[in-house]
């Protein structure tokens, strides 16, 4: 197959990639229009619940190949205290994680914290569906611990959701990631 963007290695046919991008653009735009009335309400709830910014930006691993990896800033509604990882660095959130705010717990349970990622989709950094992007520090640890972990992103744009998220939920352990990897590679 010919290169898509700057990635020479891909398993996705160019017509399939173009159709998927069109669906992403139309879907993200439609979802943003439909959910736009929620944005000020969510912002107000976050502001009233805890000090700090409404939006949270976090560096994530994007589409990859054996030669290079794209990095991008993923946008979410803030669901944790602003100093959540000051002492620990990058770690997974647990079920009863004390760093998660009251409003944040609701946002995470309903997945409303993910809505700003629709902007990432419009910018081409993410897709509506695909393997979930990971943080660089955690990605490096997982790649050392799990064979073929990095390959899940080769030539694939990360997604807001995917089979792994639907069937497995949030990661809390290395075994959770191992189980999700099957879904990511199937994608």
């Amino acid at each position: 197959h010919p290169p898509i963007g700057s990635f020479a290695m891909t398993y996705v046919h160019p017509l399939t990639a173009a159709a998927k991008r069109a669906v992403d653009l139309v879907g993200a735009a439609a979802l943003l229009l439909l959910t736009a009335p929620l944005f000020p309400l969510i912002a107000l709830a976050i502001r009233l619940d805890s000090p700090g910014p409404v939006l949270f930006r976090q560096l994530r691993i994007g589409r990859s190949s054996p030669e290079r990896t794209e990095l991008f800033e993923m946008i979410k509604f803030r669901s944790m205290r602003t100093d959540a990882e000051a002492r620990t660095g990058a770690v997974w959130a647990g079920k009863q994680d004390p760093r998660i705010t009251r409003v944040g717990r609701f946002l995470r349970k309903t997945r409303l914290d993910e809505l700003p990622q629709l902007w990432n989709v419009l910018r081409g950094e993410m897709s509506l569906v695909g393997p979930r992007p990971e943080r660089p520090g955690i990605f490096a640890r997982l790649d050392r611990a799990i064979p073929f972990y990095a390959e899940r992103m080769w030539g694939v744009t990360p997604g807001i959701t995917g089979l792994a998220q639907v069937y497995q939920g949030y990661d809390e352990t290395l075994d959770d990631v191992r189980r999700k990897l099957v879904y990511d590679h199937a994608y």
Side-chain angles (χ1 to χ4, degrees):
H1 299 289
I4 293 178
S6 59
F7 287 87
M9 180 182 180
T10 183
Y11 302 105
V12 181
H13 190 278
L15 290 176
T16 303
K20 182 168 178 19
R21 181 69 183 136
V23 168
D24 283 344
L25 288 171
V26 171
L31 285 168
L32 273 172
L33 284 173
L34 287 171
T35 61
L38 296 176
F39 279 60
L41 298 173
I42 293 170
L44 179 62
I46 291 169
R47 283 277 192 201
L48 293 174
D49 187 47
S50 65
V54 169
L55 294 176
F56 177 71
R57 297 174 186 273
Q58 192 173 61
L59 191 64
R60 295 289 178 122
I61 300 284
R63 195 167 53 165
S64 305
S65 75
E67 294 82 34
R68 67 176 258 184
T69 299
E70 290 179 354
L71 299 175
F72 70 98
E73 278 194 335
M74 188 174 76
I75 308 165
K76 297 178 81 166
F77 281 119
R78 184 174 57 83
S79 61
M80 290 190 174
R81 297 186 328 255
T82 55
D83 65 344
E85 293 185 339
R87 283 182 257 145
T88 61
V91 294
W92 286 315
K95 282 189 185 353
Q96 297 300 321
D97 198 316
R99 301 171 303 161
I100 300 173
T101 65
R102 287 175 298 165
V103 168
R105 200 164 306 286
F106 172 77
L107 294 175
R108 284 172 168 247
K109 186 174 185 167
T110 58
R111 303 287 198 236
L112 291 172
D113 63 323
E114 312 284 354
L115 287 176
Q117 291 171 48
L118 294 168
W119 291 111
N120 291 112
V121 173
L122 290 178
R123 291 195 314 231
E125 299 162 332
M126 292 181 74
S127 181
L128 292 174
V129 178
R132 204 63 189 137
E134 189 55 80
R135 293 181 279 175
I138 292 176
F139 183 92
R141 291 194 304 253
L142 293 173
D143 192 39
R144 286 190 300 272
I146 302 172
F148 305 108
Y149 181 78
E151 286 85 341
R152 69 194 258 283
M153 300 301 290
W154 283 4
V156 177
T157 304
I160 294 176
T161 191
L163 290 174
Q165 286 67 47
V166 171
Y167 291 113
Q168 296 292 133
Y170 285 107
D171 294 336
E172 292 182 20
T173 67
L174 200 55
D175 285 335
D176 290 343
V177 177
R178 283 187 181 105
R179 282 189 288 277
K180 279 186 171 183
L181 190 61
V182 173
Y183 292 111
D184 287 342
H185 278 287
Y187 176 79

